[in-house]
Amino acid sequence: ATNEYPPIELVDEELLGDPVFMLQALWYSQELLERAEELRNDREFMLAAIRACEVSLLDAPQEFQSDREFVLEAVSASVSAFRFGSDELHGDREVVLAAVRKDGDSLLYASRELRSDPDVVLEAIKSDPNALRHAGKELQSSRALVLEAVRGDGFVLEVASPELQSDREIVLEAVGSHGDALKYASSGLRDDVQVVLQAVQQGKGAFAYASPRMRSDRAVVMEVVAKYGNALEYASEELRDDREVVLQAVRSQPASLKHASPRLQGDRGVVLEAAASNTLGDDALEYASPEVRADREVVLEAVMRNGLELEHASQQLRSDREIVLQAVRKNGLALRYASKRFAGDRQLVLEAVRTDGTALEAASDELRRDGEVVLAAVTGSGFALRFASDSLRNDPIVAIAAVGSNACMLEDLSQELRNDEEVVLAAVRREGACWSSPRGSFEAIEELCWRQ
């Protein structure tokens, strides 16, 4: 690949005076500015370069750096203009205020004195709550400033003084903004029911930071797992062996069975409840005991909710035709987990490919040569063409169905089919003008497009 712009030393003098060219070229090399003396002394151009190309204020002529109006406009437009400014600039209150209003993180580059200025820090926090991290230590103990910051980002509680990490109002604001901020609360507030429940409202992970007493409190855990079943992971060992608690969890999120005690993973009623509650495709059966995964009623319930649960059924039940049939009706790809003897079961394979055409991959060689089976597969998923027999891959009817489902499958066809008018027209109808089609079919596409 060649560069869009020539080396600096080869840039024509005339181009160095072209503001449009230079504003693009400065993205590639700011060294060009050293040669563009006329533009460098143009006030409006330099402001545009600072704004659009992140040119440093230090690259501007000294007279511009001494021009207060120019400097204020520059730092208001570009974060880097302030960041790479002089020490004098970093200590100028008005300039710093302009910079932190643009980007609160600019407080990091302000002088120590101004990082301890409450008004400057407040303006920075309004722009970016994390600016508090750059404030003077004494201001990280300011209740008003910390309260303002945690309302925007609860994680800023991390830099608050220990006293403010024990302030209930501040911590409630912090965990209301981000539940995991509970991590930085005092031990006393991590043992506070209201604070913990407020944190968990934002996400189940916050429960990991609750006190051991909270994670052992049955009423608290029941309320938490009703909303986030997987929060069972953080409950005490005793409560993960509490049948009622675990039932509450699996009703909310069936895969939370993963965090139940071994005893309850082997509880038929608990696993059945998890299977019956599975509406989002969780792998509840994966965490059940081997005995329960061999229970026909449980497995049948599981695969009727999520066909892919067949993967976790016992070997015997993966050979049960009714169970496999229910599984592939829910998700054709479940065929890959069924006993190999079903790969040649025509009715069952047809059910599978009608649900997901790519299930053809798990069919027997004989059924991959079956026109009806393959046509059903590629009609649902053109990609299934890759699993068809060679003879059917070259069948015009199958090819038309495949590209009608997925025009990109044109690339998989023989040269003869790629230049077949009906095949190409099916692809064009599917995706419009098939600009990404193989070179060999361009002529056919162009001719067809002119005809339309």
Side-chain angles (χ1 to χ4, degrees):
T2 57
N3 292 327
E4 186 175 347
Y5 293 95
I8 297 171
E9 62 273 10
L10 298 182
V11 175
D12 188 87
E13 291 295 328
E14 185 177 340
L15 287 175
L16 292 174
D18 183 334
V20 176
F21 169 83
M22 287 295 292
L23 283 176
Q24 296 181 56
L26 286 174
W27 270 112
Y28 294 85
S29 174
Q30 295 191 3
E31 292 178 30
L32 278 172
L33 200 58
E34 296 175 11
R35 292 183 54 203
E37 193 63 30
E38 183 179 345
L39 287 179
R40 187 168 172 271
N41 286 291
D42 183 310
R43 190 178 189 280
E44 294 308 314
F45 175 80
M46 284 304 297
L47 281 173
I50 289 170
R51 183 182 302 111
C53 308
E54 297 188 357
V55 168
S56 170
L57 191 58
L58 295 177
D59 290 328
Q62 190 60 48
E63 64 177 292
F64 289 168
Q65 293 183 40
S66 302
D67 182 330
R68 189 166 195 75
E69 186 179 337
F70 179 91
V71 170
L72 284 170
E73 195 168 342
V75 299
S76 297
S78 169
V79 174
S80 61
F82 177 73
R83 178 180 177 181
F84 299 109
S86 65
D87 289 343
E88 182 182 357
L89 202 68
H90 294 164
D92 186 307
R93 193 173 190 276
E94 188 177 0
V95 170
V96 171
L97 278 169
V100 299
R101 285 170 180 149
K102 170 72 176 176
D103 182 353
D105 199 50
S106 294
L107 184 66
L108 174 62
Y109 307 106
S111 67
R112 180 178 299 181
E113 180 184 354
L114 291 178
R115 282 189 279 120
S116 295
D117 183 313
D119 294 331
V120 171
V121 173
L122 179 59
E123 289 298 321
I125 288 171
K126 287 178 179 177
S127 174
D128 181 352
N130 276 286
L132 184 66
R133 297 179 184 274
H134 310 311
K137 285 291 183 184
E138 67 280 8
L139 293 187
Q140 292 173 351
S141 297
S142 165
R143 191 176 190 279
L145 290 176
V146 171
L147 194 56
E148 180 73 25
V150 298
R151 282 172 177 155
D153 186 340
F155 275 132
V156 182
L157 185 64
E158 179 183 8
V159 299
S161 66
E163 180 185 357
L164 295 180
Q165 290 175 340
S166 298
D167 185 304
R168 197 165 186 275
E169 182 186 357
I170 286 177
V171 171
L172 278 170
E173 288 286 353
V175 299
S177 166
H178 202 303
D180 285 0
L182 183 63
K183 176 181 181 180
Y184 305 114
S186 66
S187 57
L189 290 178
R190 285 188 278 115
D191 194 48
D192 182 299
V193 174
Q194 185 185 354
V195 171
V196 169
L197 291 179
Q198 170 85 329
V200 175
Q201 285 295 315
Q202 312 307 315
K204 64 108 177 176
F207 199 46
Y209 305 114
S211 70
R213 189 178 75 86
M214 286 291 98
R215 291 185 278 120
S216 299
D217 186 305
R218 193 172 189 276
V220 170
V221 172
M222 284 286 282
E223 185 169 344
V224 170
V225 299
K227 183 174 177 63
Y228 298 110
N230 279 325
L232 182 65
E233 175 183 2
Y234 308 117
S236 66
E237 186 176 347
E238 179 184 354
L239 292 179
R240 285 188 278 116
D241 191 47
D242 183 306
R243 194 173 191 275
E244 190 177 348
V245 170
V246 172
L247 279 170
Q248 181 83 299
V250 300
R251 286 178 187 130
S252 170
Q253 290 180 290
S256 63
L257 184 65
K258 175 182 181 179
H259 308 299
S261 67
R263 181 180 74 86
L264 293 178
Q265 288 176 341
D267 185 307
R268 185 179 183 278
V270 170
V271 179
L272 194 58
E273 186 69 32
S277 302
N278 196 357
T279 58
L280 299 175
D282 277 2
D283 287 330
L285 202 57
E286 178 180 359
Y287 309 110
S289 68
E291 294 76 19
V292 177
R293 285 189 272 124
D295 186 301
R296 193 174 189 279
E297 182 185 356
V298 172
V299 172
L300 190 58
E301 181 69 38
V303 300
M304 288 176 68
R305 302 285 180 165
N306 175 10
L308 297 181
E309 287 274 51
L310 185 64
E311 177 184 6
H312 310 298
S314 67
Q315 187 172 351
Q316 180 183 357
L317 293 181
R318 283 188 275 123
S319 296
D320 184 307
R321 193 176 188 280
E322 183 187 355
I323 285 177
V324 173
L325 185 59
Q326 291 298 334
V328 299
R329 281 176 175 166
K330 191 66 179 177
N331 189 321
L333 293 179
L335 185 62
R336 64 178 63 162
Y337 305 120
S339 168
K340 296 300 180 186
R341 71 187 181 89
F342 294 123
D345 186 316
R346 193 172 187 277
Q347 181 195 356
L348 199 146
V349 171
L350 266 173
E351 289 280 359
V353 299
R354 283 169 180 158
T355 307
D356 189 319
T358 60
L360 185 64
E361 182 180 12
S364 66
D365 290 342
E366 180 183 356
L367 291 181
R368 293 190 199 191
R369 294 192 295 270
D370 186 305
E372 184 184 356
V373 171
V374 171
L375 194 58
V378 300
T379 298
S381 171
F383 190 78
L385 183 68
R386 294 185 177 180
F387 309 121
S389 66
D390 289 342
S391 60
L392 288 177
R393 282 167 61 89
N394 288 300
D395 184 297
I397 294 175
V398 171
I400 288 170
V403 300
S405 172
N406 182 347
C408 292
M409 294 312 297
L410 199 60
E411 298 180 12
D412 281 39
L413 301 180
S414 66
Q415 186 66 45
E416 181 182 356
L417 286 174
R418 281 186 283 173
N419 283 307
D420 182 292
E421 180 174 323
E422 289 188 53
V423 173
V424 175
L425 187 56
V428 171
R429 284 173 177 158
R430 174 66 183 175
E431 296 293 342
C434 264
W435 307 120
S436 63
S437 301
R439 183 176 298 279
S441 61
F442 281 158
E443 295 84 356
I445 291 174
E446 184 177 19
E447 182 181 346
L448 283 168
C449 287
W450 276 108
R451 288 185 192 176
Q452 299 306 306

